[in-house]
Amino acid sequence: MMITSVSINDSSIRRSAEIAKALGHPARIAILKILAERTTCFCGDITEILPLAQSTVSQHLKALKSAGLITGEVEGVRTCYCLNPDGIKELQSLLSELSNELVQTCC
Amino acid sequence: MMITSVSINDSSIRRSAEIAKALGHPARIAILKILAERTTCFCGDITEILPLAQSTVSQHLKALKSAGLITGEVEGVRTCYCLNPDGIKELQSLLSELSNELVQTCC
DNA sequence: TATATTTATCGTAAGTTAACGATATATATT
DNA sequence: AATATATATCGTTAACTTACGATAAATATA
């Protein structure tokens, strides 16, 4: 087993935590799933599906966007939100890397 | 593509969010990595490695334990913390399931 | 031009989180 | 029995999160 020195300030650890934090609320996971199964993806569509106020949905969208997991393109009066393939890939690689590192039998 | 109705109250979504939330702080990811690369795993060991007070580390350990990602066995005056294989497996399966669901091209 | 629509942002309240030092508890050791 | 050690918990403070309604800004429609 490779011995690495683990630091809170490691950028990969920080990025993984940032992504995990973005996933750390059921509404945000639900939003990602909704985006994955629809081709149109406006804030209003999501507000119709989830039992949350429009402003709350907008806030969750902002959190997902700033974590790099989704993009938002203004289209006239609306904004079309989409999964960000790069962010999703990063999610997959960082979290699967983490999973691999956590395979162990202890004590 | 299968159309599923996405709900905030779906238990799998809630559990995924719970796990992600537990991973949503660099200190907690660091702790999991430390547990993975050591065979002894007392609170004091972790406190020596991370730049955090003992009480703060204990608090993070409690969060990881209540999310089911680690176990803690009292051994005399100390407590031996270990990765919880079941929790780690759950982490892997829920998050990889989520990853798979998020493969898509949008808009 | 006036009105309607969509969404971001503001303001606010309640709740949670993260950090710390101090302390209690439980077990070892002398 | 007295002392030392390890850790959980308490109390506190500051910061952040989540939710909401109200409103502003931007665009579309009548």
Side-chain angles (χ1 to χ4, degrees):
Chain A
M1 188 198 319
M2 197 174 69
I3 304 294
T4 55
S5 75
V6 174
S7 156
I8 265 185
N9 295 313
D10 181 279
S11 73
S12 151
I13 287 183
R14 283 156 58 97
R15 179 66 179 134
S16 297
E18 186 184 26
I19 290 176
K21 194 175 182 185
L23 298 178
H25 191 289
R28 289 193 291 270
I29 293 193
I31 288 172
L32 292 177
K33 288 190 169 207
I34 290 167
L35 293 188
E37 62 182 35
R38 295 182 132 242
T39 47
T40 58
C41 34
F42 301 105
C43 179
D45 297 329
I46 296 164
T47 302
E48 265 174 29
I49 297 171
L50 301 181
L52 293 172
Q54 180 270 323
S55 56
T56 304
V57 169
S58 186
Q59 213 169 268
H60 283 305
L61 287 167
K62 191 179 182 184
L64 289 168
K65 194 177 169 192
S66 80
L69 297 180
I70 66 175
T71 59
E73 298 254 310
V74 175
E75 274 187 18
V77 75
R78 304 189 287 184
T79 304
C80 181
Y81 285 98
C82 307
L83 297 181
N84 178 8
D86 290 347
I88 300 301
K89 269 176 223 140
E90 213 186 347
L91 181 165
Q92 291 168 330
S93 69
L94 280 175
L95 294 186
S96 81
E97 190 185 309
L98 178 65
S99 295
N100 290 337
E101 286 169 354
L102 299 184
V103 176
Q104 179 244 22
T105 34
C106 176
C107 295
Chain B
M1 186 198 318
M2 197 173 69
I3 304 293
T4 55
S5 76
V6 174
S7 157
I8 264 185
N9 296 312
D10 180 279
S11 73
S12 151
I13 287 184
R14 284 156 58 96
R15 179 65 180 134
S16 297
E18 185 183 27
I19 290 176
K21 194 175 184 185
L23 298 179
H25 192 290
R28 289 193 290 271
I29 293 192
I31 289 172
L32 292 176
K33 289 191 168 205
I34 290 167
L35 294 188
E37 61 183 33
R38 296 180 131 243
T39 47
T40 57
C41 35
F42 300 105
C43 179
D45 297 330
I46 295 164
T47 302
E48 267 173 26
I49 296 171
L50 301 181
L52 294 171
Q54 180 269 324
S55 56
T56 305
V57 170
S58 187
Q59 213 169 268
H60 284 305
L61 287 166
K62 192 179 181 183
L64 289 168
K65 193 176 169 194
S66 80
L69 298 180
I70 65 174
T71 58
E73 296 254 312
V74 175
E75 274 187 18
V77 76
R78 305 188 287 184
T79 304
C80 183
Y81 285 98
C82 307
L83 296 181
N84 177 8
D86 290 347
I88 299 301
K89 268 176 224 142
E90 214 186 347
L91 182 166
Q92 290 168 332
S93 69
L94 281 175
L95 294 186
S96 82
E97 190 185 312
L98 179 64
S99 295
N100 290 337
E101 284 169 354
L102 299 184
V103 175
Q104 179 243 22
T105 34
C106 175
C107 297

